[in-house]
Amino acid sequence: MEVQERRTYKAVIGLEFHVHLATTTKMFCGCRVTYGDPPNTHTCPVCLGHPGALPVTNEKAVELGVMAGLALNCHVADRAVFARKNYFYPDLPKGYQISQFDEPICTGGHIDVPTPEGRIRVGITRLHLEEDAAKNVHVGTSGRMHGSVGSLVDFNRGGTPLMEIVTEPDIPSPEAARATANQLKDILRAVGVSEADMEKGQLRCDANVSIRNPDGTFGTKTELKNMNSFRFVERGLARELERQREILENGGRIEQTTLHYDPETDEVHELRSKEQAHDYRYFPEPDLLPLELSEAWVSGIQARLPELPEGMRARFVEDYGLSAYDAGVLTSDRNLAAFYEKVAAEVDAKQASNWISGDLRAQLNEMGVGIAESRVTPQHMIELIELVQNAEISRSTARTVLEKVFETGDAPTAIVEREGLASMGGDELSGVVDGVIADNPNEAERVRAGDKKVIGFLVGQTMKATRGNADGGRVRELLLEKLDS
Ligand code: ADP
Ligand code: ZN
Ligand code: MG
């Protein structure tokens, strides 16, 4: 048997995102954009596709699209054209989706992404605006069409503003794909163009993946459709790369297909092959004028662009002396970053970072809430950190107090007082220290003689005697004072 030459398998990945824009009304009509309202309560002749109903472009949606484009370092076109993308599906009553085709609003951007393999720059090919389809609800199953007894259509989502963002095939691994998706989500949230809540389906991702040919050229790609969790994007891509590698190792060829990744079985299934894909017969939407985006209007938006996560991270490192990692954690959530800045203005910035990116965030995660929904305020955090700094409570007591702030929304000082959590101090602590010295004459003598190592033992004995209800630093000070004289 011939021994096959070993080859390396270099992944090539490009991502496509669909993002719901944070507008109050739909893309081409005045119906409200809502989540979870009763089906078909936000519809009109335009978004139901009645013949003769005329669309009107939502200016806010265009503004948000341009904002996103600027945040992604894109070129904003001075002219953009809506086009009809023709296909049939029950969730698309007009028989076409209004989208953009060869003249999108934004092109040629990039984002810089920290990945396990280092920083990479991922090109943004294009960003365009379109309308979402309605929502098909399959009855009698867990939601899949297969095996259902019938399907219903909820047109509340039909015609809601959607932005599509396409990256260049610049991403080298499933891990980097996940990092890229996260970075994009952070940027969109920071700019405020979308809540980008994946559980509400506000952000969906398709992943294109191939393995480079031995000569370095691109191989045939497959596409993993419609993933609503970045963890699954990473796992799905890893699984698909494994499948492609196996085919190539067995001398086979990759077929260009569209796939679905099932996280439960960790398998990919073919949806439809590209050869049978629709011909969308795009043509310019005759009912809408091209968008004319004046330079003045675009630079007005540029001027209002909020600070982006990258810039904010660098500023946190510079202004507060934080590590890049801590700065990254704090700035990944705009509300948390604002919370941090209020606290760091009053107390030691490093302490504030430790508490907020550590204990506070852990409790938020545990309860599954954001800082904005929790009962903890910056003032609470400042008080808590000051209590620890002034040695009025120990660090471990402070953790308990923080939990109680979460539960009750009461101020830390009030909780400490009410529950008698203050560290032992004054004469009481002094008396306990005297007792420990009396009970351990040998160790005390060694400290007096200059052997400072034994001090730890005596601190430990004192903490034990107070049942941990004392500040270790204060105890140490007291012992040294008493044994020095
Ligand atoms: P299609 O014509 O199939 O829509 P495009 O060239 O428009 O393909 O690219 C769609 C997406 O696929 C983009 O995100 C792009 O970066 C990515 N892509 C293109 N070629 C490859 C490839 N060989 N391997 C992986 N991803 C690719
Ligand atoms: Zn409508
Ligand atoms: Mg394409």
Side-chain angles (χ1 to χ4, degrees):
M1 221 194 206
E2 238 180 277
V3 179
Q4 273 206 318
E5 210 184 306
R6 278 182 83 85
R7 59 171 284 195
T8 54
Y9 293 92
K10 286 215 175 82
V12 173
I13 298 166
L15 300 174
E16 295 171 273
F17 298 91
H18 285 96
V19 188
H20 277 196
L21 291 171
T23 58
T24 49
T25 57
K26 294 189 181 180
M27 189 68 214
F28 300 110
C29 64
C31 293
R32 291 189 71 78
V33 176
T34 60
Y35 289 92
D37 274 7
N40 297 311
T41 49
H42 301 285
T43 63
C44 74
V46 173
C47 58
L48 288 176
H50 290 188
L54 289 175
V56 178
T57 305
N58 181 339
E59 186 181 343
K60 183 71 187 175
V62 178
E63 186 184 324
L64 294 180
V66 168
M67 230 175 186
L70 292 170
L72 302 175
N73 305 295
C74 286
H75 166 72
V76 180
D78 44 22
R79 186 187 124 104
V81 175
F82 285 106
R84 289 189 182 180
K85 178 178 180 179
N86 300 280
Y87 66 95
F88 169 78
Y89 210 65
D91 59 11
L92 190 71
K94 297 195 296 294
Y96 59 84
Q97 176 193 31
I98 305 179
S99 181
Q100 294 182 322
F101 183 50
D102 48 6
E103 292 188 72
I105 52 168
C106 298
T107 52
H110 66 262
I111 53 173
D112 292 323
V113 184
T115 75
E117 296 108 337
R119 270 179 110 63
I120 58 167
R121 176 161 287 194
V122 178
I124 305 292
T125 315
R126 59 183 277 146
L127 178 159
H128 74 240
L129 297 175
E130 57 190 28
E131 55 177 343
D132 205 352
K135 191 173 171 186
N136 289 325
V137 184
H138 306 297
V139 185
T141 61
S142 60
R144 313 219 90 223
M145 181 151 55
H146 182 77
S148 68
V149 295
S151 297
L152 302 170
V153 188
D154 175 7
F155 285 95
N156 285 352
R157 198 182 69 187
T160 55
L162 209 57
M163 170 170 71
E164 180 171 327
I165 299 171
V166 182
T167 81
E168 291 288 308
D170 290 343
I171 303 164
S173 70
E175 296 77 20
R178 181 178 180 174
T180 303
N182 271 320
Q183 178 82 347
L184 184 92
K185 183 181 75 181
D186 288 349
I187 292 172
L188 297 177
R189 280 195 181 160
V191 181
V193 298
S194 175
E195 282 175 52
D197 185 336
M198 304 201 74
E199 279 175 13
K200 287 186 186 163
Q202 293 173 337
L203 179 56
R204 311 193 288 266
C205 177
D206 304 335
N208 300 270
V209 55
S210 65
I211 289 173
R212 241 177 237 284
N213 296 321
D215 66 3
T217 56
F218 283 173
T220 304
K221 73 176 162 76
T222 58
E223 181 174 10
L224 295 174
K225 271 290 198 202
N226 230 343
M227 287 173 287
N228 58 3
S229 135
F230 294 157
R231 205 155 45 89
F232 296 159
V233 170
E234 178 178 348
R235 279 173 45 192
L237 281 168
R239 184 70 194 84
E240 170 56 9
L241 277 165
E242 216 174 271
R243 191 189 69 90
Q244 289 189 12
R245 191 175 308 141
E246 235 165 73
I247 292 174
L248 293 174
E249 268 169 9
N250 292 322
R253 272 183 46 220
I254 308 296
E255 298 285 335
Q256 182 165 340
T257 48
T258 309
L259 305 163
H260 166 73
Y261 173 65
D262 182 349
E264 261 168 47
T265 57
D266 193 35
E267 276 171 18
V268 292
H269 305 285
E270 191 163 336
L271 285 182
R272 53 176 146 86
S273 72
K274 199 80 184 182
E275 284 76 21
Q276 297 149 21
H278 324 265
D279 174 3
Y280 293 123
R281 293 189 303 110
Y282 280 100
F283 63 86
E285 167 61 65
D287 291 340
L288 289 167
L289 287 170
L291 293 173
E292 309 270 357
L293 308 169
S294 80
E295 225 170 277
W297 189 71
V298 173
S299 37
I301 294 174
Q302 176 93 60
R304 281 185 284 119
L305 212 60
E307 189 177 29
L308 298 178
E310 269 301 295
M312 196 189 276
R313 190 174 310 157
R315 186 168 63 77
F316 274 32
V317 170
E318 179 81 5
D319 291 2
Y320 300 116
L322 302 183
S323 71
Y325 179 81
D326 287 346
V329 169
L330 291 170
T331 55
S332 69
D333 174 338
R334 202 160 42 139
N335 292 330
L336 198 66
F339 185 100
Y340 170 76
E341 294 211 80
K342 287 193 186 124
V343 177
E346 301 294 327
V347 299
D348 179 65
K350 187 74 193 147
Q351 282 297 321
S353 164
N354 289 346
W355 274 101
I356 294 170
S357 63
D359 292 275
L360 178 68
R361 225 170 46 96
Q363 292 206 25
L364 289 171
N365 288 343
E366 197 174 305
M367 301 176 70
V369 295
I371 187 69
E373 293 95 56
S374 87
R375 309 176 86 157
V376 183
T377 66
Q379 194 50 45
H380 289 150
M381 209 64 230
I382 292 165
E383 243 182 74
L384 191 74
I385 292 170
E386 281 175 346
L387 283 171
V388 176
Q389 263 172 352
N390 300 338
E392 286 169 56
I393 56 174
S394 67
R395 244 199 97 86
S396 71
T397 302
R399 284 204 190 90
T400 317
V401 173
L402 182 59
E403 272 170 40
K404 291 181 194 287
V405 177
F406 257 94
E407 284 163 22
T408 62
D410 292 341
T413 38
I415 293 168
V416 168
E417 195 163 318
R418 185 172 70 217
E419 315 222 348
L421 294 171
S423 294
M424 194 181 283
D427 290 347
E428 197 183 0
L429 184 60
S430 183
V432 174
V433 171
D434 287 340
V436 168
I437 291 173
D439 290 348
N440 300 278
N442 292 338
E443 285 77 6
E445 197 43 53
R446 280 168 64 191
V447 175
R448 276 200 195 91
D451 183 359
K452 295 273 150 62
K453 272 175 289 178
V454 222
I455 192 83
F457 172 76
L458 294 175
V459 172
Q461 291 304 107
T462 312
M463 294 306 284
K464 211 159 142 191
T466 65
R467 293 209 183 78
N469 193 22
D471 181 70
R474 180 73 198 120
V475 168
R476 193 186 163 87
E477 264 172 37
L478 268 177
L479 279 163
L480 283 173
E481 261 169 41
K482 287 176 194 287
L483 295 175
D484 209 31
S485 53

